[in-house]
Amino acid sequence: MNLTELNRIATAMVVSGKGILAADESSGTIKKRFDAIGVESTEGNRRDYREMLFRSKEAMSQYISGVILYDETIWQDAKDGTPLVKLIESSGAIPGIKVDEGTQALPMCPGELVTVGLDKLAERLKKYYERGARFAKWRAVIDIGSGIPSMTAIGVNAHALARYAALCQAAQIVPIVEPEVLMDGDHDIDRCYEVTQRVLNKTFQELRVQRVALEGMVLKPNMAISGKKSPTQASVEKVAEKTIRLLKACVPAAVPGIAFLSGGQSDEEATAHLNAMHKLGPLPWGLTFSYGRALQAAPQKAWSGKAENVAAGQSAFSHRARMNGLASKGEWQSSLEKKAA
């Protein structure tokens, strides 16, 4: 393992002013999103859509540091025969790959899930590296509800995340470690804080046990935020303050950076929260975004599967990427959204 090189890549992924595009939706997820805009989810349409994003020169070169790909996408070529991976590299961004294989029900823990995909991961990582991937992603899913999460669910998911991270580093690939505490419930921000703290503490304990070099990884956590169904929604300032306090308590300074998931927040909410956190600096690690839906909802709608809408889709993508790039430096203002509209 060349830790100097892993650290160089991890640092580049969370550089100030840029963030990571999560374009790794599973076939099922992208079908739901295409259904919403009236586009059939064929391999060709999925390729055309992602090619549109990766050819957005302004967004990709100025505001995107890396792209997480799905297995189908990393092997695809653009219409002109150029591998999609090469389009990403030529823009100056780093190609990455989602390597987990989804979730299964966790035995003896009703309502809880464990992420799978460690079998044969070492061989898969070699092939992904040869194709150009320099980082990977594995997502653990922790739900908050009545009597959950259990320490069993937190423990097995943290253990799997750490095993995945060790395999990545052995393959000279930077692991994005993503323990996501879902915001789907009716819990308040304090409950989210408490659960996320337990999850992060257990995750870093497992990473140490499995000898993962913290300097060669990126953390992708949820924010401390109210559940979607909670009658009390915390303010932008409170989300920022609680999230920074949580991360300072749990995340060692050796980690080069933290790239948040949007987790179902609206486009502007995710941007505003990230921006507010940068008002609370200086911070011990790089702090940026790794958004999927919060970067893609607007371009998907503008494109709507039509070749004549590619420019409109790219324009919408560039706008969202720029807004989040500014937020990752604490320079975003809501008035910039209105100007674009």
Side-chain angles (χ1 to χ4, degrees):
M1 179 179 84
N2 179 345
L3 183 54
T4 305
E5 181 61 10
L6 287 174
N7 176 258
R8 185 191 70 76
I9 292 164
T11 304
M13 287 163 65
V14 294
V15 68
S16 180
K18 290 188 176 187
I20 299 163
L21 167 63
D24 60 332
E25 303 87 357
S26 67
S27 303
T29 300
I30 202 158
K31 182 182 183 308
K32 279 184 210 155
R33 293 186 184 165
F34 276 16
D35 285 349
I37 55 169
V39 176
E40 193 185 351
S41 184
T42 62
E43 186 182 344
N45 284 341
R46 292 192 293 272
R47 188 231 21 229
D48 290 350
Y49 167 65
R50 284 165 172 150
E51 180 179 346
M52 172 191 80
L53 295 179
F54 306 158
R55 285 196 190 275
S56 301
K57 283 204 174 73
E58 183 195 359
M60 291 293 297
S61 61
Q62 293 184 46
Y63 309 115
I64 301 297
S65 59
V67 181
I68 311 170
L69 299 168
Y70 188 55
D71 179 77
E72 174 186 80
T73 319
I74 200 169
W75 305 110
Q76 282 178 325
D77 295 336
K79 264 193 174 153
D80 66 2
T82 311
L84 293 181
V85 174
K86 294 292 178 206
L87 291 185
I88 295 165
E89 286 172 349
S90 66
S91 72
I94 305 162
I97 179 72
K98 166 192 152 85
V99 297
D100 70 70
E101 295 178 334
T103 54
Q104 288 179 359
L106 183 59
M108 313 301 169
C109 296
E112 298 190 280
L113 301 169
V114 61
T115 304
V116 295
L118 288 169
D119 293 350
K120 302 194 177 123
L121 180 55
E123 295 100 277
R124 286 164 55 215
L125 288 168
K126 276 183 203 152
K127 289 175 188 160
Y128 289 140
Y129 186 90
E130 283 163 15
R131 183 67 175 175
R134 291 298 175 264
F135 70 91
K137 189 197 90 164
W138 176 289
R139 173 177 176 249
V141 186
I142 306 289
D143 208 353
I144 299 180
S146 176
I148 62 171
S150 63
M151 278 316 289
T152 310
I154 292 173
V156 294
N157 277 294
H159 180 80
L161 272 169
R163 281 193 61 200
Y164 138 82
L167 286 164
C168 283
Q169 290 189 339
Q172 203 53 40
I173 284 176
V174 172
I176 290 184
V177 173
E178 181 179 4
E180 179 178 3
V181 176
L182 299 175
M183 60 180 283
D184 296 338
D186 59 4
H187 53 275
D188 63 11
I189 190 171
D190 292 327
R191 175 91 170 113
C192 176
Y193 184 103
E194 175 237 329
V195 170
T196 307
Q197 185 172 36
R198 283 192 313 179
V199 168
L200 288 175
N201 284 339
K202 187 64 180 170
T203 300
F204 279 101
Q205 182 189 10
E206 285 287 347
L207 288 165
R208 286 191 186 93
V209 168
Q210 298 189 44
R211 305 184 181 186
V212 173
L214 300 185
E215 299 85 350
M217 63 163 274
V218 169
L219 180 69
K220 181 170 176 172
N222 53 284
M223 299 176 190
I225 199 165
S226 314
K228 278 187 207 165
K229 300 180 189 126
S230 173
T232 49
Q233 291 293 318
S235 67
V236 168
E237 293 71 27
K238 191 170 184 186
V239 168
E241 183 271 319
K242 285 259 190 195
T243 304
I244 293 297
R245 192 195 316 169
L246 172 70
L247 295 174
K248 282 183 171 175
C250 300
V251 183
V255 174
I258 296 169
F260 288 108
L261 54 91
S262 47
Q265 300 174 57
S266 74
D267 304 2
E268 280 194 43
E269 258 181 334
T271 307
H273 287 143
L274 177 61
N275 188 69
M277 288 178 212
H278 278 278
K279 306 283 190 195
L280 305 173
L283 303 169
W285 357 251
L287 195 67
T288 190
F289 58 93
S290 176
Y291 294 163
R293 208 205 52 76
L295 274 174
Q296 293 187 61
Q300 261 165 18
K301 199 172 171 187
W303 169 68
S304 290
K306 299 186 173 99
E308 63 268 28
N309 290 344
V310 163
Q314 289 178 331
S315 172
F317 176 46
S318 293
H319 172 68
R320 284 268 44 92
R322 178 169 167 259
M323 292 299 99
N324 287 300
L326 289 170
S328 75
K329 297 188 285 186
E331 294 172 6
W332 174 84
Q333 294 170 339
S334 59
S335 59
L336 295 168
E337 303 280 2
K338 295 178 183 73
K339 268 184 206 163

